[in-house]
Amino acid sequence: MRFYAAILGWSEVHEAASPIYRAIAQDGTRIAFHSGEAYALLGLSGRETHFGKNRSGLS
């Protein structure tokens, strides 16, 4: 998330932040990032991708 915020110059949406979710926004557009734990929370277990599975956190 910090990478995209830096290259786009967008700000984090602090009021939407949680331990498993972060977002950046600019001019009414929002890009959201979530951890793998969000799949289970949404009832989507088993649909996770394996991209980045060895990375932890949302930063």
Side-chain angles (χ1 to χ4, degrees):
M1 183 212 64
R2 287 186 293 216
F3 170 79
Y4 288 105
I7 65 168
L8 296 171
W10 292 18
S11 300
E12 182 174 359
V13 183
H14 294 285
E15 63 273 10
S18 79
I20 63 170
Y21 179 86
R22 297 284 191 278
I24 57 175
Q26 181 74 29
D27 297 329
T29 300
R30 185 179 287 194
I31 299 174
F33 304 86
H34 62 81
S35 72
E37 296 163 348
Y39 286 95
L41 181 66
L42 297 170
L44 299 173
S45 294
R47 296 184 64 186
E48 303 94 333
T49 65
H50 297 288
F51 177 76
K53 70 178 183 176
N54 294 324
R55 297 186 65 186
S56 62
L58 296 167
S59 53

